[in-house]
Amino acid sequence: MSAAAGDARPAYLDNAATTAVDPRVVRRMAECLTAEGDFGNPASAGHVFGERAAQLVEAARRQVADAAGARAADVVFTSGATEADNLAIFGVAELRREEGRHLVTVRTEHKAVLDPCRALERRGWRVTYLVPDGDGILDPRRVAEALRPDTVLVSVMHVNNEIGTVQDVAGIARACALHGRAWLHVDAAQSVGKCGLSFERDGIHLMSLSAHKAHGPKGVGALILARARGVLVEPRELGGGQELGLRSGTLATHQIVGMGEACALATAEGAADTARIAGLAERLWRGLEALGGVWRNGDPARSVPHIVNLSFEGVEGESLLAAVRPHLAVSTGSACASAIGEPSYVLRALGRSERLAESSLRFSLGRFTTREEVERGIAVVSAAVIRLRRIAGTSGCAGACA
Ligand SMILES: *Cc1c(COP(=O)(O)O)cnc(C)c1O
């Protein structure tokens, strides 16, 4: 089915707007799979097939490193940002267990960070969960205040996956540097191609990346470690010793090549994509703001335009989603949180009421989002909100937006 199928296929403004794979990436991936292509195992250095595959992996490693402002030798390929987050948090905690058992993170992190932290707490580590301000921003001074002599790791995401806010990771890295012992892990799964990443310049110690948030394939990502600055992790996968022994397992050449190509495209075209998407995001916000009683979550001046998260007063979240679902792919929160059906813990951490958090929609815009899809999104959501408010007998503007 193609997008030309019109209304039969809903307009796509869901998180995976950023996950449709660029056809240029698919072409490169396909070349790594078949008998005529570069199908070898990069670990089989004894013949040209393996050598050629190893060269492709190393070229991709460079492309990923360039997109992150890091050294190629510091990139460890994983199955995605979830695995990279787990490897960073468990790996550092395990490696430095004798130095201290205190971690600092933020309430608005992805579950791939929060759940490993919870698991460590059950094994005796202490975790401080910082709360951002009402706009979703964390002041680096809060991090500095939370650091203790036994703090070994701080984990703060760069771009938030639900509201698009961008944290001051350079400022947080400076707080960690002043402390001297705490390493900074940054979940940058949402960052590639959306806003500048500078692993080395900012003095970050570990960084998680994911290919599919940047029009690459699902199921591949990377953990970057500042090895030259002494950063290491205790491995979790043991076996063939691939990836410096930090992540054993046969490398998925086609996935890695796809991630490399996606990163190269993001480096080359990310700024132009972002400028175009900013125009679409502004149109989406203006179009829906006109309804009245609409709250924008996260400070737009400190956010990437790719994510627009709105709360609608006077409508019930489930009804709103049900009303728009046939015509529009959006979500109420992250894919994982909405599977559980609870109001977004990210919006709750910003101080939004349970009711407003429930009646929120996250719109995501990517390289392939069209103006037409945005217009359709505005029309569909507006009609649904107006109808649901009429049924509920409210204008939606009671009190709070006076
Ligand atoms: C998508 C995402 C993840 C998980 O990445 P996968 O590659 O899907 O495992 C982790 N953190 C953030 C911020 C994300 O947006």
Side-chain angles (χ1 to χ4, degrees):
M1 204 196 317
S2 78
D7 249 328
R9 184 170 160 116
Y12 205 96
L13 296 175
D14 195 7
N15 181 33
T18 58
T19 80
V21 181
D22 192 299
R24 295 169 288 184
V25 171
V26 175
R27 215 168 302 130
R28 298 283 299 115
M29 292 176 68
E31 288 164 7
C32 301
L33 290 166
T34 50
E36 314 80 59
D38 298 306
F39 60 85
N41 180 346
S44 305
H47 49 67
V48 291
F49 299 94
E51 270 167 25
R52 174 71 188 138
Q55 284 166 4
L56 291 176
V57 167
E58 292 320 306
R61 204 183 298 282
R62 170 116 302 268
Q63 292 169 314
V64 172
D66 286 348
R71 299 171 351 134
D74 288 348
V75 174
V76 169
F77 286 110
T78 66
S79 63
T82 298
E83 187 190 336
D85 286 343
N86 276 261
L87 181 56
I89 293 166
F90 287 121
V92 169
E94 185 61 30
L95 185 83
R96 302 186 69 192
R97 56 186 302 134
E98 301 308 329
E99 293 176 63
R101 301 193 184 184
H102 178 243
L103 281 68
V104 176
T105 188
V106 193
R107 287 248 174 262
T108 46
E109 291 297 304
H110 194 274
K111 291 269 178 158
V113 164
L114 293 176
D115 283 355
C117 287
R118 296 256 152 71
L120 284 172
E121 278 185 288
R122 287 193 291 272
R123 297 184 215 159
W125 270 263
R126 300 287 170 160
V127 181
T128 299
Y129 297 92
L130 298 170
V131 183
D133 67 19
D135 281 327
I137 303 296
L138 179 70
D139 187 330
R141 281 174 297 187
R142 298 289 88 75
V143 175
E145 288 160 9
L147 296 173
R148 314 191 318 201
D150 60 340
T151 309
V152 292
L153 187 69
V154 174
S155 186
V156 178
M157 74 203 315
H158 187 222
V159 174
N160 185 277
N161 53 300
E162 285 194 36
I163 57 177
T165 43
V166 183
Q167 297 300 358
D168 175 10
V169 292
I172 294 165
R174 279 194 294 278
C176 293
L178 274 176
H179 175 267
R181 285 156 46 79
W183 288 349
L184 174 62
H185 166 246
V186 173
D187 178 344
Q190 291 281 344
S191 308
V192 173
K194 298 190 180 114
C195 59
L197 271 181
S198 44
F199 183 82
E200 278 303 321
R201 195 192 65 213
D202 289 348
I204 294 162
H205 297 91
L206 306 110
M207 181 182 277
S208 302
L209 300 176
S210 174
H212 74 96
K213 305 293 172 60
H215 302 295
K218 298 166 189 66
V220 61
L223 179 66
I224 305 178
L225 315 90
R227 290 196 301 134
R229 286 181 268 138
V231 175
L232 214 56
V233 290
E234 191 67 34
R236 288 166 62 74
E237 317 302 326
L238 305 177
Q242 290 90 344
E243 299 298 88
L244 313 162
L246 298 178
R247 203 283 193 175
S248 284
T250 300
L251 291 177
T253 315
H254 60 301
Q255 297 288 79
I256 289 168
V257 164
M259 181 172 187
E261 188 66 16
C263 284
L265 290 171
T267 302
E269 302 174 6
D273 284 343
T274 299
R276 190 184 68 87
I277 288 163
L280 294 178
E282 184 63 12
R283 169 67 195 131
L284 181 67
W285 164 238
R286 293 295 167 210
L288 291 173
E289 184 193 24
L291 284 166
V294 182
W295 296 74
R296 188 156 183 181
N297 297 309
D299 178 358
R302 298 191 58 174
S303 299
V304 295
H306 305 68
I307 299 170
V308 177
N309 190 313
L310 306 177
S311 298
F312 299 88
E313 283 180 30
V315 296
E316 205 222 341
E318 279 302 304
S319 314
L320 180 56
L321 203 54
V324 304
R325 202 191 306 269
H327 317 287
L328 185 66
V330 279
S331 68
T332 49
S334 79
C336 343
S338 44
I340 312 167
E342 57 190 28
S344 157
Y345 65 88
V346 172
L347 298 182
R348 296 287 283 134
L350 305 197
R352 288 279 183 256
S353 68
E354 191 163 329
R355 211 183 141 70
L356 259 190
E358 262 170 6
S359 58
S360 302
L361 294 178
R362 178 188 61 177
F363 303 87
S364 294
L365 313 171
R367 185 179 293 155
F368 305 116
T369 307
T370 63
R371 173 85 188 202
E372 191 275 331
E373 282 178 301
V374 169
E375 295 301 337
R376 196 133 55 99
I378 295 169
V380 166
V381 173
S382 298
V385 168
I386 289 168
R387 185 171 62 80
L388 291 170
R389 281 178 178 170
R390 191 175 299 135
I391 294 168
T394 109
S395 74
C397 226
C401 68

CSV table of all heavy atoms in Angstrom, one decimal, residues 325-348:
chain,number,residue,atom,x,y,z
A,325,ARG,N,-7.9,7.8,15.4
A,325,ARG,CA,-7.1,6.6,15.0
A,325,ARG,C,-7.4,6.2,13.5
A,325,ARG,O,-6.4,5.9,12.8
A,325,ARG,CB,-7.4,5.4,15.9
A,325,ARG,CG,-6.3,4.4,15.9
A,325,ARG,CD,-6.8,3.1,16.6
A,325,ARG,NE,-7.2,3.3,17.9
A,325,ARG,CZ,-6.4,3.3,19.0
A,325,ARG,NH1,-5.2,3.0,18.8
A,325,ARG,NH2,-6.9,3.5,20.2
A,326,PRO,N,-8.6,6.2,13.0
A,326,PRO,CA,-8.8,5.8,11.6
A,326,PRO,C,-8.1,6.7,10.6
A,326,PRO,O,-7.9,6.3,9.5
A,326,PRO,CB,-10.3,5.8,11.4
A,326,PRO,CG,-10.9,5.9,12.8
A,326,PRO,CD,-9.9,6.6,13.7
A,327,HIS,N,-7.8,7.9,11.0
A,327,HIS,CA,-7.4,8.9,10.0
A,327,HIS,C,-5.9,9.4,10.2
A,327,HIS,O,-5.3,10.0,9.4
A,327,HIS,CB,-8.3,10.1,10.0
A,327,HIS,CG,-9.7,9.8,10.1
A,327,HIS,ND1,-10.4,9.3,9.0
A,327,HIS,CD2,-10.6,9.9,11.1
A,327,HIS,CE1,-11.7,9.1,9.4
A,327,HIS,NE2,-11.8,9.4,10.6
A,328,LEU,N,-5.4,9.0,11.4
A,328,LEU,CA,-4.2,9.6,11.8
A,328,LEU,C,-3.4,8.7,12.7
A,328,LEU,O,-4.0,8.2,13.7
A,328,LEU,CB,-4.5,11.0,12.6
A,328,LEU,CG,-3.4,11.9,13.0
A,328,LEU,CD1,-2.7,12.4,11.8
A,328,LEU,CD2,-3.9,13.0,13.9
A,329,ALA,N,-2.1,8.5,12.4
A,329,ALA,CA,-1.3,7.7,13.3
A,329,ALA,C,-0.5,8.7,14.3
A,329,ALA,O,0.4,9.4,13.8
A,329,ALA,CB,-0.3,6.9,12.5
A,330,VAL,N,-1.0,8.7,15.5
A,330,VAL,CA,-0.3,9.5,16.5
A,330,VAL,C,-0.2,8.6,17.8
A,330,VAL,O,-0.8,7.5,17.8
A,330,VAL,CB,-1.0,10.8,16.9
A,330,VAL,CG1,-0.7,11.9,16.0
A,330,VAL,CG2,-2.5,10.6,17.1
A,331,SER,N,0.4,9.1,18.8
A,331,SER,CA,0.4,8.3,20.1
A,331,SER,C,0.2,9.2,21.2
A,331,SER,O,0.3,10.5,21.1
A,331,SER,CB,1.6,7.5,20.2
A,331,SER,OG,2.7,8.3,20.4
A,332,THR,N,-0.1,8.6,22.4
A,332,THR,CA,-0.3,9.4,23.6
A,332,THR,C,1.0,9.6,24.3
A,332,THR,O,1.1,10.5,25.1
A,332,THR,CB,-1.3,8.8,24.5
A,332,THR,OG1,-0.9,7.4,24.7
A,332,THR,CG2,-2.7,8.8,24.0
A,333,GLY,N,2.0,8.8,24.1
A,333,GLY,CA,3.3,8.9,24.8
A,333,GLY,C,4.3,8.1,24.0
A,333,GLY,O,4.2,8.0,22.8
A,334,SER,N,5.2,7.5,24.7
A,334,SER,CA,6.2,6.7,24.0
A,334,SER,C,5.5,5.3,23.7
A,334,SER,O,4.5,5.0,24.3
A,334,SER,CB,7.4,6.4,24.9
A,334,SER,OG,7.1,5.4,25.8
A,335,ALA,N,6.0,4.7,22.7
A,335,ALA,CA,5.3,3.4,22.2
A,335,ALA,C,5.2,2.4,23.4
A,335,ALA,O,4.2,1.8,23.5
A,335,ALA,CB,6.1,2.8,21.1
A,336,CYS,N,6.2,2.4,24.2
A,336,CYS,CA,6.2,1.4,25.3
A,336,CYS,C,5.2,1.8,26.4
A,336,CYS,O,4.5,1.0,26.9
A,336,CYS,CB,7.6,1.3,26.0
A,336,CYS,SG,8.9,2.0,24.9
A,337,ALA,N,5.2,3.1,26.8
A,337,ALA,CA,4.3,3.6,27.8
A,337,ALA,C,2.8,3.4,27.4
A,337,ALA,O,2.0,3.1,28.2
A,337,ALA,CB,4.6,5.0,28.2
A,338,SER,N,2.5,3.7,26.1
A,338,SER,CA,1.1,3.7,25.7
A,338,SER,C,0.6,2.2,25.6
A,338,SER,O,-0.6,2.0,25.6
A,338,SER,CB,0.9,4.5,24.4
A,338,SER,OG,1.9,4.2,23.4
A,339,ALA,N,1.6,1.3,25.5
A,339,ALA,CA,1.2,-0.1,25.5
A,339,ALA,C,0.6,-0.5,26.9
A,339,ALA,O,-0.3,-1.3,27.0
A,339,ALA,CB,2.4,-1.0,25.2
A,340,ILE,N,1.1,0.1,27.9
A,340,ILE,CA,0.6,-0.1,29.3
A,340,ILE,C,-0.7,0.6,29.5
A,340,ILE,O,-1.5,0.3,30.4
A,340,ILE,CB,1.7,0.2,30.3
A,340,ILE,CG1,3.1,-0.3,29.9
A,340,ILE,CG2,1.3,-0.3,31.7
A,340,ILE,CD1,4.2,0.2,30.7
A,341,GLY,N,-0.9,1.7,28.8
A,341,GLY,CA,-2.1,2.5,28.9
A,341,GLY,C,-2.2,3.4,30.2
A,341,GLY,O,-3.3,3.8,30.6
A,342,GLU,N,-1.0,3.8,30.7
A,342,GLU,CA,-1.1,4.7,31.8
A,342,GLU,C,-0.7,6.1,31.3
A,342,GLU,O,0.0,6.2,30.3
A,342,GLU,CB,-0.1,4.2,32.9
A,342,GLU,CG,1.3,4.1,32.5
A,342,GLU,CD,2.2,3.4,33.5
A,342,GLU,OE1,1.7,2.6,34.3
A,342,GLU,OE2,3.4,3.6,33.5
A,343,PRO,N,-1.2,7.1,32.0
A,343,PRO,CA,-0.8,8.5,31.6
A,343,PRO,C,0.7,8.7,31.6
A,343,PRO,O,1.4,8.1,32.5
A,343,PRO,CB,-1.5,9.4,32.6
A,343,PRO,CG,-1.8,8.6,33.8
A,343,PRO,CD,-2.0,7.2,33.2
A,344,SER,N,1.2,9.5,30.7
A,344,SER,CA,2.7,9.6,30.5
A,344,SER,C,3.4,10.1,31.8
A,344,SER,O,3.0,11.1,32.4
A,344,SER,CB,2.9,10.7,29.5
A,344,SER,OG,4.2,11.2,29.6
A,345,TYR,N,4.4,9.3,32.3
A,345,TYR,CA,5.1,9.7,33.5
A,345,TYR,C,6.0,10.9,33.2
A,345,TYR,O,6.4,11.6,34.1
A,345,TYR,CB,6.0,8.5,34.0
A,345,TYR,CG,7.1,8.0,33.1
A,345,TYR,CD1,8.3,8.6,33.1
A,345,TYR,CD2,6.9,7.0,32.2
A,345,TYR,CE1,9.3,8.2,32.3
A,345,TYR,CE2,7.9,6.6,31.3
A,345,TYR,CZ,9.1,7.2,31.4
A,345,TYR,OH,10.1,6.8,30.5
A,346,VAL,N,6.3,11.1,31.9
A,346,VAL,CA,7.1,12.3,31.5
A,346,VAL,C,6.2,13.6,31.8
A,346,VAL,O,6.7,14.5,32.4
A,346,VAL,CB,7.5,12.2,30.1
A,346,VAL,CG1,8.2,13.5,29.6
A,346,VAL,CG2,8.5,11.1,29.9
A,347,LEU,N,5.0,13.6,31.3
A,347,LEU,CA,4.1,14.7,31.5
A,347,LEU,C,3.8,14.9,32.9
A,347,LEU,O,3.7,16.0,33.4
A,347,LEU,CB,2.9,14.6,30.6
A,347,LEU,CG,3.1,14.5,29.1
A,347,LEU,CD1,1.7,14.5,28.4
A,347,LEU,CD2,3.9,15.7,28.6
A,348,ARG,N,3.6,13.8,33.7
A,348,ARG,CA,3.4,13.9,35.1
A,348,ARG,C,4.6,14.6,35.8
A,348,ARG,O,4.4,15.4,36.7
A,348,ARG,CB,3.1,12.5,35.7
A,348,ARG,CG,1.8,11.9,35.2
A,348,ARG,CD,0.5,12.5,35.7
A,348,ARG,NE,0.2,12.1,37.0
A,348,ARG,CZ,-0.1,13.0,38.0
A,348,ARG,NH1,-0.2,14.3,37.7
A,348,ARG,NH2,-0.4,12.5,39.2
